[in-house]
Amino acid sequence: MKHESQQVFYSRVGEKAESSRIPFEAMVELTYGCNLRCVHCYNPTHKAQGEQSTEAIYRVLDQLAAEGTFRLGLTGGELFTRRDCFEIFDYAKRRGFSLTLLTNATMITDHIADRIRDLEPTLVEVSIYGATAETYEAVTEVPGSFAHFVRGVQRLRTRKVPLLLKMPVMTLNRHEVQAAKALAVGWGVRFRYTTEITPRTDGVQDPLRYRLSPADLLQVEKEMGGLRHQQPDSVEKQEDSCGRRSGLFTCLCGKRSLAVTPYGELNLCVALPIPQYDLKAGTIAEGWEQLQTLVERANAQPGPAYECPTCEYHGHCRQGPMDAFMATGALEPCLPFYKEVARLEQAAQTDLIPPQALRQQGGSAGLTMSAKGAHESDPGNRPPGSA
């Protein structure tokens, strides 16, 4: 009930912020350094090189506070590879942000868990890649990482830190989604999943090798409580994507949310690395104006490849401008993968094909998007990135 009330509050305040053109939410990446090597990750390097200093991050936080930002997510990479992370956390807390930390939990010692508890974050989001060591470590490519993950989560649990376990579902762990949810429920921790796997932010498409086929993606949703639009409120829904329904940008990017990279670049989100506004040479206020203008112009005058309003599967499409941009370098083109997902979802929901035929109907789709550079193509994360 507390979580629901909090979400209602954030939604209402966020809507008011959007109407007032305030960047209510910000995701700040403190580092690309990471102790894991997850195969699906959008992180372009996993190394900490040339990143913002502590003082530079303080300046970013000061400017965000001045512009009215309230919800602040701090992420990586892995936050705890950065030695000054708690200095930054404490500074953010003093500036009055509602603070969310995103971590893989594998580096959380008793000392770190104590400091997180004392920080009193609104939420700590922890990535979970499987319910067994074999599956988890097939994703992270680091032996022993599952045991460290479990210990980290337990240390946070015993200190009653508010937690959310988030699972990026892919070919390597698709068979353990239910088991991962059961693990979370057994620990008394909320669970969420996403089927969004995105390219790396440097344009490399390698993570897409692990993306589910359209049919498998929808099958996972059925197993987890029903297809997206059929899920009752009691079901822990998957992390929502930036799908298009009316207008090119229907997400919050450039309307009430923004992202900052470890290099001090202001972008629409962590998975859409544009416009790369340089905060070392400008301010959050100036960059925020650029983001708003970019989104407004794209919505008002999309390019000639924009065909969504006339597409028969439009109402079921999950593709966002980020997906198109990372595949083609343009925001508008329709991508076959997402069109096939939408087609299958619409067919399943309107009984155009029997639900039991869903896998056979779409399993051989094998669709990929057009290549960018020499790589195969496809949000994390969603990504959700590392978390």
Side-chain angles (χ1 to χ4, degrees):
M1 189 68 179
K2 180 181 177 182
H3 168 67
E4 291 178 1
S5 300
Q6 186 181 75
Q7 289 301 104
V8 170
F9 167 76
Y10 284 146
S11 178
R12 289 177 178 172
V13 176
E15 289 173 2
K16 291 182 179 179
E18 185 176 334
S19 65
S20 301
R21 301 169 68 90
I22 293 172
F24 179 67
E25 305 173 5
M27 185 69 73
V28 177
E29 297 174 297
L30 298 185
T31 181
Y32 282 144
C34 190
N35 61 319
L36 303 181
R37 294 294 181 268
C38 297
V39 296
H40 69 290
C41 188
Y42 69 83
N43 184 332
T45 141
H46 291 91
K47 297 179 181 178
Q49 297 175 329
E51 298 179 338
Q52 291 194 95
S53 66
T54 312
E55 291 72 23
I57 292 172
Y58 288 170
R59 288 193 292 273
V60 168
L61 297 181
D62 288 341
Q63 292 177 34
L64 286 171
E67 291 303 309
T69 300
F70 179 61
R71 299 187 72 179
L72 177 69
L74 297 178
T75 186
E78 173 49 46
L79 291 175
F80 299 104
T81 62
R82 198 168 162 137
R83 293 181 180 180
D84 61 352
C85 63
F86 275 102
E87 296 174 44
I88 296 169
F89 300 166
D90 290 338
Y91 191 86
K93 192 71 175 180
R94 291 196 300 272
R95 291 309 317 248
F97 295 108
S98 170
L99 191 60
T100 295
L101 306 180
L102 290 81
T103 175
N104 60 42
T106 61
M107 297 181 69
I108 293 180
T109 62
D110 284 320
H111 175 67
I112 288 176
D114 286 341
R115 295 197 66 177
I116 293 174
R117 175 200 59 205
D118 296 343
L119 185 68
E120 296 184 331
T122 302
L123 185 65
V124 175
E125 298 186 0
V126 179
S127 302
I128 177 171
Y129 303 117
T132 64
E134 180 182 9
T135 297
Y136 185 98
E137 292 167 15
V139 174
T140 67
E141 296 191 332
V142 175
S145 55
F146 181 71
H148 289 294
F149 155 76
V150 172
R151 283 195 292 269
V153 171
Q154 298 312 316
R155 285 167 175 146
L156 294 172
R157 283 186 63 231
T158 59
R159 290 161 176 82
K160 301 188 185 307
V161 173
L163 295 175
L164 170 65
L165 292 188
K166 296 173 64 175
M167 184 175 186
V169 182
M170 65 197 87
T171 57
L172 297 179
N173 62 13
R174 176 252 180 278
H175 60 291
E176 286 190 359
V177 187
Q178 293 278 15
K181 180 180 179 180
L183 197 64
V185 171
W187 288 340
V189 176
R190 289 171 51 222
F191 175 84
R192 188 168 294 166
Y193 72 99
T194 178
T195 54
E196 292 282 315
I197 302 295
T198 67
R200 284 180 7 194
T201 54
D202 59 2
V204 172
Q205 307 289 308
D206 290 355
L208 302 186
R209 292 182 294 170
Y210 304 97
R211 183 177 60 180
L212 298 177
S213 72
D216 279 342
L217 184 155
L218 295 179
Q219 185 65 26
V220 165
E221 288 188 7
K222 288 177 61 184
E223 294 168 359
M224 294 300 290
L227 297 180
R228 251 186 342 159
H229 303 303
Q230 297 174 326
Q231 291 178 350
D233 292 338
S234 59
V235 172
E236 186 70 67
K237 294 178 173 61
Q238 72 162 306
E239 193 81 359
D240 206 7
S241 62
C242 296
R244 300 187 236 179
R245 275 161 281 287
S246 58
L248 186 58
F249 279 92
T250 60
C251 57
L252 303 179
C253 299
K255 297 177 182 176
R256 73 184 198 212
S257 71
L258 55 81
V260 179
T261 75
Y263 309 124
E265 298 165 335
L266 185 67
N267 289 325
L268 285 167
C269 76
V270 294
L272 180 52
I274 57 173
Q276 298 182 359
Y277 178 84
D278 187 1
L279 292 173
K280 296 185 290 296
T283 66
I284 290 286
E286 294 165 351
W288 178 238
E289 286 294 327
Q290 280 200 17
L291 261 63
Q292 292 181 92
T293 300
L294 188 160
V295 169
E296 289 168 358
R297 287 178 177 172
N299 279 342
Q301 294 182 313
Y306 184 54
E307 59 184 77
C308 295
T310 60
C311 177
E312 61 182 312
Y313 309 121
H314 187 201
H316 294 272
C317 189
R318 305 164 188 222
Q319 180 185 315
M322 175 270 290
D323 302 299
F325 185 85
M326 296 308 295
T328 69
L331 297 168
E332 301 88 359
C334 175
L335 305 177
F337 176 87
Y338 291 96
K339 192 165 190 175
E340 178 67 358
V341 172
R343 185 189 71 80
L344 288 174
E345 184 179 273
Q346 177 174 290
Q349 291 185 356
T350 57
D351 293 323
L352 294 180
I353 57 172
Q356 66 269 22
L358 187 61
R359 290 176 67 86
Q360 293 95 328
Q361 186 88 3
S364 61
L367 296 173
T368 59
M369 300 186 294
S370 59
K372 182 180 182 183
H375 307 284
E376 287 188 359
S377 49
D378 168 64
N381 182 160
R382 188 199 296 116
S386 63

